[in-house]
Amino acid sequence: MIKIEIFKNANGDVIGFDCDNHGDPIVCAAVSVLVLNTINSIEHFTTIKFDCDLDEERGGYLSFRLKTKPTDKTHDANLLLAALNLGIESIARQYPKDLKYKEVITQQK
């Protein structure tokens, strides 16, 4: 089963996520495309700094966190992360046995 935690600040902005990405091949591929495209898009189309750690020995675990607090300058990154969240929610509704999705609200603004 694929497990994803989406981290949001107190304002509802997505500020990061953790993904343990193994399970059904079709669901795994869909999640992988969304996650990797989001990270690549943030890196390519914005100047926002982030931390991204991948641990293949742990079964494809990936952790992503924005280093910058949400402001007008982070709008594009926030939009890309919101699109990721929408896609993950959609997959989780269609494949509830294959994808465990959880939102975590932090106290950070």
Side-chain angles (χ1 to χ4, degrees), residues 81-101:
L81 287 166
L84 168 70
N85 190 46
L86 178 66
I88 295 297
E89 284 179 332
S90 177
I91 295 170
R93 278 193 304 274
Q94 292 178 336
Y95 299 94
K97 293 180 181 177
D98 299 305
L99 177 58
K100 182 178 179 183
Y101 167 80

Side-chain angles (χ1 to χ4, degrees), residues 3-5 7 17-22 35 52-65:
K3 297 175 185 173
I4 297 185
E5 288 185 321
F7 299 97
F17 58 89
D18 289 344
C19 180
D20 201 352
N21 197 5
H22 276 294
V35 165
C52 185
D53 295 311
L54 176 63
D55 187 350
E56 291 184 36
E57 291 181 16
R58 190 174 157 187
Y61 175 82
L62 188 142
S63 177
F64 175 91
R65 300 289 185 284

Side-chain angles (χ1 to χ4, degrees), residues 34-53:
L34 283 173
V35 165
L36 294 174
N37 189 64
T38 299
I39 295 168
N40 290 337
S41 295
I42 290 171
E43 183 175 41
H44 184 79
F45 294 117
T46 77
T47 58
I48 301 306
K49 303 295 181 202
F50 58 86
D51 288 322
C52 185
D53 295 311

